[in-house]
Amino acid sequence: MGDHATETIQRLQNRLDDEEYARDHVLDLRCLALDEESLDWILNHIDCFVSQSRGNKRVEGVIFYPYALHGYDGEVWDKVGQAIGNLEVLEELQIPNHKFHDDDDELVVPIPDWERLARILSHMRQKIKVNLYNYDDAGDEYELWTEGEAQGLARAIRGHPTITSFDCDGTITHEASGVLYSALATLPALESIMLSSPPEDESTLANPESLTELLRVPSLRSVHFGDFFFTSALCQAAAKALTEDTAITNLVFWGCSFPAGECAALMANGLGRNTSVISLTVASKVGGAIF
């Protein structure tokens, strides 16, 4: 009898300790990182994590590491989603392209399982900004998201009702951009985007019509092209959207590159016919084509 009572008291104390740790450590930060270290505790104390997330007014951002997630079934990831959905002041979801390696420099998870992100997003009803960024294990080298990675991410976010802003500044190759732009065009609450595109040959260009489709999203108000390499096809795609009018009111070209001649004429024609843009910022690092 005494041993049973002692065991019961110990279980109760363990539960109280877990609740305190979840409340005062895991969920007491402005930004919650779902990485290897935190997930090891969270997934082994998932019910405690969910219960302590209710009414949380501390966590404003979540960092989702797609390469840190492995093991456990879908039911557990639904509970993670429930906990994230409980965070009352959450406003940003960051997704780094950070790959975890073992002692032999092998990828721990070669391919991220984007279904887990989709499960988490299905429980989120907060208005959120999604921010993609890239760095390697050393923190000083950047990798672009591959086409395969972008396809999985696109499936996870497609049609999400409360993503209001998306920033993929300096993260996406031309090959990967088309599928992501098409997914962004399905977001009914999308209000602002930041896009970047590295210099590429025309032969590697993704479907340019996806950019036209994205710029025509009815809810989209702010578009920021940062260090965006406009090929002639991308110029035509952007100019087509602007010519046929958009809902965009704020348009920024910051450090962009434009082919001379035809591209400048196309863009000027599009802007000249557009009736929605009321704020235009241009800071070009090459020539005066856009001016």
Side-chain angles (χ1 to χ4, degrees), residues 27-223:
L27 292 166
D28 192 45
L29 303 172
R30 292 294 183 189
C31 191
L32 169 64
L34 297 179
D35 56 16
E36 284 185 314
E37 182 178 353
S38 65
L39 284 169
D40 183 58
W41 189 91
I42 288 170
L43 296 179
N44 282 290
H45 302 82
I46 187 63
D47 291 329
C48 176
F49 180 64
V50 173
S51 67
Q52 294 304 306
S53 68
R54 297 188 182 103
N56 181 281
K57 293 181 173 64
R58 178 70 172 171
V59 178
E60 298 176 354
V62 169
I63 306 177
F64 177 88
Y65 289 86
Y67 283 93
L69 312 180
H70 52 91
Y72 297 91
D73 57 22
E75 183 180 354
V76 171
W77 290 104
D78 278 330
K79 289 185 177 181
V80 174
Q82 291 172 22
I84 302 303
N86 287 337
L87 304 176
E88 296 186 6
V89 297
L90 181 66
E91 58 186 24
E92 184 173 14
L93 175 64
Q94 301 177 37
I95 308 176
N97 192 21
H98 178 73
K99 299 177 174 66
F100 295 86
H101 297 78
D102 60 20
D103 293 337
D104 297 322
D105 201 32
E106 296 292 331
L107 286 180
V108 176
V109 183
I111 302 175
D113 186 350
W114 291 109
E115 182 182 352
R116 288 161 182 169
L117 175 61
R119 284 182 176 272
I120 291 174
L121 285 171
S122 70
H123 295 276
M124 296 176 64
R125 292 296 177 264
Q126 308 94 325
K127 291 184 178 180
I128 56 170
K129 172 183 178 179
V130 177
N131 179 20
L132 303 185
Y133 65 96
N134 309 319
Y135 58 85
D136 69 358
D137 288 339
D140 56 2
E141 294 290 338
Y142 283 74
E143 300 177 40
L144 295 177
W145 293 75
T146 67
E147 185 175 9
E149 290 170 329
Q151 288 173 344
L153 174 61
R155 288 192 296 270
I157 67 171
R158 180 172 292 275
H160 194 276
T162 62
I163 295 176
T164 60
S165 179
F166 201 96
D167 181 350
C168 51
D169 181 25
T171 61
I172 302 295
T173 64
H174 277 290
E175 298 95 327
S177 63
V179 65
L180 188 58
Y181 293 170
S182 293
L184 292 175
T186 69
L187 303 180
L190 187 66
E191 298 174 357
S192 67
I193 53 174
M194 177 176 284
L195 305 177
S196 180
S197 179
E200 297 270 351
D201 294 331
E202 292 280 356
S203 59
T204 65
L205 183 64
N207 180 12
E209 287 77 12
S210 59
L211 179 60
T212 304
E213 180 186 14
L214 174 57
L215 296 179
R216 288 175 177 168
V217 170
S219 59
L220 189 61
R221 298 292 182 270
S222 178
V223 177

Side-chain angles (χ1 to χ4, degrees), residues 254-270:
W254 192 268
C256 297
S257 300
F258 298 89
E262 182 184 3
C263 179
L266 285 170
M267 196 68 74
N269 183 57

